[in-house]
Short mmCIF file of all heavy atoms in Angstrom, two decimals:
data_model
loop_
_atom_site.label_atom_id
_atom_site.label_comp_id
_atom_site.label_asym_id
_atom_site.label_seq_id
_atom_site.Cartn_x
_atom_site.Cartn_y
_atom_site.Cartn_z
N VAL V 1 6.30 -1.58 -8.57
CA VAL V 1 6.26 -0.21 -8.18
C VAL V 1 7.59 0.44 -8.52
O VAL V 1 8.63 0.06 -8.10
CB VAL V 1 5.99 -0.14 -6.70
CG1 VAL V 1 5.92 1.37 -6.19
CG2 VAL V 1 4.72 -0.86 -6.27
N ASN V 2 7.56 1.55 -9.24
CA ASN V 2 8.77 2.25 -9.74
C ASN V 2 9.09 3.58 -9.06
O ASN V 2 10.15 4.03 -9.18
CB ASN V 2 8.64 2.60 -11.20
CG ASN V 2 8.55 1.33 -12.09
OD1 ASN V 2 9.21 0.36 -11.93
ND2 ASN V 2 7.43 1.28 -12.96
N THR V 3 8.15 4.02 -8.23
CA THR V 3 8.41 5.27 -7.47
C THR V 3 7.58 5.36 -6.27
O THR V 3 6.51 4.64 -6.12
CB THR V 3 8.06 6.50 -8.39
OG1 THR V 3 8.39 7.69 -7.73
CG2 THR V 3 6.53 6.57 -8.79
N GLU V 4 8.03 6.11 -5.23
CA GLU V 4 7.29 6.18 -4.01
C GLU V 4 5.89 6.82 -4.25
O GLU V 4 5.68 7.60 -5.09
CB GLU V 4 8.03 7.08 -3.04
CG GLU V 4 9.39 6.48 -2.51
CD GLU V 4 10.03 7.37 -1.60
OE1 GLU V 4 9.74 8.59 -1.57
OE2 GLU V 4 11.03 6.84 -0.80
N GLY V 5 4.92 6.40 -3.39
CA GLY V 5 3.63 6.99 -3.54
C GLY V 5 2.50 6.15 -2.90
O GLY V 5 2.77 5.18 -2.18
N ILE V 6 1.34 6.56 -3.20
CA ILE V 6 0.15 5.89 -2.60
C ILE V 6 -0.37 4.83 -3.74
O ILE V 6 -0.72 5.26 -4.84
CB ILE V 6 -1.05 6.91 -2.38
CG1 ILE V 6 -0.55 7.86 -1.27
CG2 ILE V 6 -2.31 6.17 -2.01
CD1 ILE V 6 -1.49 8.97 -1.02
N LEU V 7 -0.28 3.64 -3.34
CA LEU V 7 -0.72 2.46 -4.29
C LEU V 7 -2.26 2.33 -4.30
O LEU V 7 -2.85 1.91 -5.32
CB LEU V 7 -0.06 1.28 -3.87
CG LEU V 7 1.42 1.32 -3.76
CD1 LEU V 7 2.08 0.02 -3.06
CD2 LEU V 7 2.12 1.47 -5.06
N TYR V 8 -2.87 2.72 -3.20
CA TYR V 8 -4.37 2.56 -3.18
C TYR V 8 -4.84 3.42 -1.94
O TYR V 8 -4.22 3.60 -1.02
CB TYR V 8 -4.78 1.09 -2.80
CG TYR V 8 -6.18 0.81 -3.39
CD1 TYR V 8 -6.34 0.25 -4.67
CD2 TYR V 8 -7.22 1.00 -2.56
CE1 TYR V 8 -7.68 -0.04 -5.07
CE2 TYR V 8 -8.52 0.74 -2.97
CZ TYR V 8 -8.77 0.23 -4.28
OH TYR V 8 -9.98 -0.06 -4.78
N ARG V 9 -6.02 4.01 -2.26
CA ARG V 9 -6.72 4.84 -1.30
C ARG V 9 -8.24 4.54 -1.32
O ARG V 9 -8.87 4.57 -2.38
CB ARG V 9 -6.53 6.30 -1.47
CG ARG V 9 -7.34 7.19 -0.46
CD ARG V 9 -6.98 8.67 -0.72
NE ARG V 9 -5.72 8.94 -0.09
CZ ARG V 9 -5.06 10.04 -0.30
NH1 ARG V 9 -5.50 11.02 -1.10
NH2 ARG V 9 -3.86 10.30 0.29
N GLU V 10 -8.79 4.26 -0.17
CA GLU V 10 -10.25 3.84 -0.14
C GLU V 10 -10.84 4.14 1.29
O GLU V 10 -10.07 4.08 2.32
CB GLU V 10 -10.50 2.37 -0.51
CG GLU V 10 -11.92 1.92 -0.51
CD GLU V 10 -12.75 2.76 -1.48
OE1 GLU V 10 -13.14 3.92 -1.06
OE2 GLU V 10 -13.16 2.17 -2.52
N THR V 11 -12.01 4.41 1.36
CA THR V 11 -12.72 4.56 2.66
C THR V 11 -13.74 3.55 2.86
O THR V 11 -14.48 3.20 1.90
CB THR V 11 -13.47 6.04 2.70
OG1 THR V 11 -12.43 7.07 2.51
CG2 THR V 11 -14.21 6.22 4.06
N ALA V 12 -13.74 2.91 4.05
CA ALA V 12 -14.65 1.83 4.20
C ALA V 12 -15.01 1.84 5.71
O ALA V 12 -14.41 2.36 6.57
CB ALA V 12 -13.90 0.47 3.96
N VAL V 13 -16.18 1.01 5.93
CA VAL V 13 -16.75 0.93 7.37
C VAL V 13 -17.16 -0.49 7.46
O VAL V 13 -17.60 -1.19 6.49
CB VAL V 13 -17.84 1.84 7.63
CG1 VAL V 13 -19.01 1.72 6.78
CG2 VAL V 13 -18.22 1.80 9.11
N GLY V 14 -17.12 -1.16 8.61
CA GLY V 14 -17.48 -2.46 8.86
C GLY V 14 -16.52 -3.51 8.45
O GLY V 14 -15.30 -3.41 8.54
N LYS V 15 -17.03 -4.62 7.86
CA LYS V 15 -16.23 -5.77 7.36
C LYS V 15 -15.50 -5.38 6.11
O LYS V 15 -16.07 -5.08 5.11
CB LYS V 15 -17.06 -6.94 7.22
CG LYS V 15 -17.72 -7.50 8.51
CD LYS V 15 -18.46 -8.89 8.33
CE LYS V 15 -19.78 -8.43 7.60
NZ LYS V 15 -20.66 -9.72 7.56
N THR V 16 -14.05 -5.45 6.30
CA THR V 16 -13.21 -5.01 5.16
C THR V 16 -12.10 -6.04 4.97
O THR V 16 -11.49 -6.49 5.99
CB THR V 16 -12.56 -3.60 5.43
OG1 THR V 16 -13.62 -2.67 5.72
CG2 THR V 16 -11.73 -3.16 4.26
N ARG V 17 -11.93 -6.41 3.70
CA ARG V 17 -10.95 -7.43 3.40
C ARG V 17 -9.83 -6.77 2.51
O ARG V 17 -10.14 -5.95 1.58
CB ARG V 17 -11.59 -8.61 2.67
CG ARG V 17 -10.56 -9.65 2.20
CD ARG V 17 -11.35 -10.87 1.76
NE ARG V 17 -12.00 -11.55 2.88
CZ ARG V 17 -13.14 -12.09 2.81
NH1 ARG V 17 -13.89 -12.06 1.76
NH2 ARG V 17 -13.65 -12.65 3.94
N PHE V 18 -8.59 -7.08 2.76
CA PHE V 18 -7.49 -6.51 2.02
C PHE V 18 -6.71 -7.69 1.21
O PHE V 18 -6.48 -8.76 1.77
CB PHE V 18 -6.46 -5.97 2.88
CG PHE V 18 -6.79 -4.51 3.38
CD1 PHE V 18 -7.61 -4.25 4.57
CD2 PHE V 18 -6.29 -3.41 2.74
CE1 PHE V 18 -7.91 -3.01 4.90
CE2 PHE V 18 -6.66 -2.08 3.02
CZ PHE V 18 -7.47 -1.90 4.16
N LEU V 19 -6.38 -7.33 0.01
CA LEU V 19 -5.50 -8.17 -0.81
C LEU V 19 -4.40 -7.16 -1.33
O LEU V 19 -4.76 -6.34 -2.12
CB LEU V 19 -6.19 -8.92 -1.88
CG LEU V 19 -5.15 -9.77 -2.76
CD1 LEU V 19 -4.53 -10.95 -1.94
CD2 LEU V 19 -5.81 -10.27 -4.06
N VAL V 20 -3.15 -7.31 -0.76
CA VAL V 20 -2.07 -6.39 -1.24
C VAL V 20 -1.03 -7.25 -1.75
O VAL V 20 -0.61 -8.16 -1.16
CB VAL V 20 -1.64 -5.59 0.00
CG1 VAL V 20 -0.48 -4.65 -0.49
CG2 VAL V 20 -2.74 -4.69 0.54
N HIS V 21 -0.45 -6.89 -2.91
CA HIS V 21 0.50 -7.66 -3.64
C HIS V 21 1.41 -6.76 -4.52
O HIS V 21 0.87 -6.25 -5.53
CB HIS V 21 -0.02 -8.77 -4.39
CG HIS V 21 1.02 -9.74 -5.08
ND1 HIS V 21 1.68 -10.63 -4.38
CD2 HIS V 21 1.35 -9.86 -6.36
CE1 HIS V 21 2.47 -11.32 -5.23
NE2 HIS V 21 2.26 -10.90 -6.33
N HIS V 22 2.64 -6.40 -4.15
CA HIS V 22 3.39 -5.36 -4.77
C HIS V 22 4.96 -5.75 -4.86
O HIS V 22 5.40 -6.39 -3.90
CB HIS V 22 3.26 -4.00 -4.22
CG HIS V 22 1.90 -3.42 -4.39
ND1 HIS V 22 1.43 -2.91 -5.56
CD2 HIS V 22 0.96 -3.31 -3.50
CE1 HIS V 22 0.15 -2.46 -5.40
NE2 HIS V 22 -0.14 -2.74 -4.15
N MET V 23 5.62 -5.37 -5.81
CA MET V 23 7.16 -5.62 -5.96
C MET V 23 7.77 -4.26 -5.91
O MET V 23 7.35 -3.27 -6.63
CB MET V 23 7.38 -6.34 -7.27
CG MET V 23 8.92 -6.49 -7.44
SD MET V 23 9.29 -7.26 -9.15
CE MET V 23 8.75 -8.91 -8.81
N ASN V 24 8.91 -4.16 -5.28
CA ASN V 24 9.79 -2.98 -5.27
C ASN V 24 10.66 -2.99 -6.37
O ASN V 24 11.60 -3.81 -6.60
CB ASN V 24 10.61 -2.94 -4.03
CG ASN V 24 11.62 -1.84 -3.92
OD1 ASN V 24 11.51 -0.83 -4.72
ND2 ASN V 24 12.70 -2.01 -3.18
N ASN V 25 10.42 -2.12 -7.45
CA ASN V 25 11.31 -1.98 -8.62
C ASN V 25 12.22 -0.75 -8.54
O ASN V 25 12.72 -0.32 -9.58
CB ASN V 25 10.47 -1.94 -9.77
CG ASN V 25 11.27 -2.23 -11.10
OD1 ASN V 25 12.09 -3.20 -11.10
ND2 ASN V 25 10.93 -1.56 -12.16
N MET V 26 12.41 -0.16 -7.30
CA MET V 26 13.27 0.93 -7.26
C MET V 26 14.73 0.47 -6.80
O MET V 26 14.90 -0.60 -6.34
CB MET V 26 12.67 1.87 -6.14
CG MET V 26 11.47 2.63 -6.63
SD MET V 26 10.64 3.64 -5.31
CE MET V 26 9.35 2.30 -4.80
N SER V 27 15.62 1.41 -6.78
CA SER V 27 17.12 1.05 -6.48
C SER V 27 17.38 1.03 -5.02
O SER V 27 18.39 0.62 -4.59
CB SER V 27 17.96 1.98 -7.26
OG SER V 27 17.80 3.28 -6.75
N THR V 28 16.42 1.47 -4.25
CA THR V 28 16.66 1.53 -2.72
C THR V 28 15.69 0.65 -2.02
O THR V 28 14.72 0.26 -2.55
CB THR V 28 16.43 3.00 -2.23
OG1 THR V 28 15.18 3.45 -2.64
CG2 THR V 28 17.47 3.91 -2.89
N ARG V 29 16.00 0.36 -0.76
CA ARG V 29 15.10 -0.42 0.10
C ARG V 29 13.85 0.35 0.37
O ARG V 29 13.93 1.61 0.73
CB ARG V 29 15.72 -0.83 1.33
CG ARG V 29 16.93 -1.89 1.25
CD ARG V 29 17.58 -2.06 2.55
NE ARG V 29 18.57 -3.06 2.47
CZ ARG V 29 18.51 -4.39 2.88
NH1 ARG V 29 17.35 -4.77 3.43
NH2 ARG V 29 19.46 -5.19 2.84
N GLN V 30 12.68 -0.29 0.23
CA GLN V 30 11.42 0.41 0.44
C GLN V 30 10.61 -0.41 1.59
O GLN V 30 10.90 -1.55 1.87
CB GLN V 30 10.51 0.38 -0.81
CG GLN V 30 11.22 1.17 -1.93
CD GLN V 30 11.29 2.61 -1.89
OE1 GLN V 30 10.23 3.26 -1.46
NE2 GLN V 30 12.43 3.18 -1.96
N LYS V 31 9.63 0.31 2.16
CA LYS V 31 8.68 -0.31 3.08
C LYS V 31 7.30 -0.08 2.60
O LYS V 31 6.92 0.96 2.03
CB LYS V 31 8.88 0.13 4.52
CG LYS V 31 10.12 -0.38 5.26
CD LYS V 31 10.09 -0.08 6.73
CE LYS V 31 11.15 -0.72 7.47
NZ LYS V 31 11.16 -0.53 8.88
N LEU V 32 6.48 -1.19 2.79
CA LEU V 32 5.11 -1.14 2.40
C LEU V 32 4.18 -0.96 3.65
O LEU V 32 4.54 -1.61 4.67
CB LEU V 32 4.74 -2.43 1.65
CG LEU V 32 3.38 -2.52 0.98
CD1 LEU V 32 3.32 -1.57 -0.16
CD2 LEU V 32 3.21 -3.95 0.39
N TYR V 33 3.21 0.00 3.56
CA TYR V 33 2.40 0.26 4.79
C TYR V 33 1.02 0.25 4.35
O TYR V 33 0.61 0.61 3.26
CB TYR V 33 2.69 1.66 5.32
CG TYR V 33 4.11 1.84 5.90
CD1 TYR V 33 5.16 2.25 5.00
CD2 TYR V 33 4.40 1.69 7.26
CE1 TYR V 33 6.47 2.37 5.53
CE2 TYR V 33 5.64 1.92 7.79
CZ TYR V 33 6.61 2.33 6.90
OH TYR V 33 7.94 2.45 7.38
N VAL V 34 0.17 -0.08 5.33
CA VAL V 34 -1.31 0.11 5.25
C VAL V 34 -1.59 1.18 6.39
O VAL V 34 -1.47 0.87 7.60
CB VAL V 34 -2.09 -1.10 5.45
CG1 VAL V 34 -3.54 -0.73 5.48
CG2 VAL V 34 -1.82 -2.17 4.33
N ILE V 35 -2.02 2.39 6.08
CA ILE V 35 -2.22 3.45 7.04
C ILE V 35 -3.66 3.69 7.08
O ILE V 35 -4.32 4.01 6.17
CB ILE V 35 -1.46 4.69 6.55
CG1 ILE V 35 0.06 4.49 6.47
CG2 ILE V 35 -1.76 5.93 7.54
CD1 ILE V 35 0.86 5.64 5.95
N ALA V 36 -4.23 3.76 8.35
CA ALA V 36 -5.53 4.15 8.61
C ALA V 36 -5.63 5.45 9.21
O ALA V 36 -4.90 5.78 10.06
CB ALA V 36 -6.12 3.03 9.65
N THR V 37 -6.70 6.12 8.77
CA THR V 37 -6.94 7.63 9.20
C THR V 37 -8.43 7.68 9.64
O THR V 37 -9.32 7.28 8.92
CB THR V 37 -6.68 8.60 8.05
OG1 THR V 37 -5.26 8.43 7.66
CG2 THR V 37 -6.90 9.94 8.53
N ASN V 38 -8.54 8.17 10.85
CA ASN V 38 -9.85 8.44 11.35
C ASN V 38 -10.29 9.97 11.11
O ASN V 38 -9.77 10.79 11.76
CB ASN V 38 -9.90 8.22 12.84
CG ASN V 38 -11.24 8.43 13.51
OD1 ASN V 38 -12.23 8.56 12.81
ND2 ASN V 38 -11.33 8.51 14.82
#
């Protein structure tokens, strides 16, 4: 990942599985989040 942003966006219901795998390639410390919206 070279810049801040949304890596993935999807809408789901019921049984959901996540596989997330990313590298920070920026010059600053970053945080990775999974954000849920109702």
Side-chain angles (χ1 to χ4, degrees):
V1 183
N2 298 311
T3 184
E4 294 180 339
I6 297 170
L7 307 170
Y8 204 91
R9 172 175 288 168
E10 181 59 285
T11 298
V13 63
K15 294 183 286 187
T16 307
R17 177 167 291 139
F18 279 89
L19 178 67
V20 178
H21 184 75
H22 294 284
M23 175 185 288
N24 172 24
N25 198 41
M26 289 169 268
S27 61
T28 57
R29 290 175 179 258
Q30 302 287 311
K31 283 192 173 183
L32 191 62
Y33 296 86
V34 178
I35 299 173
T37 301
N38 178 14

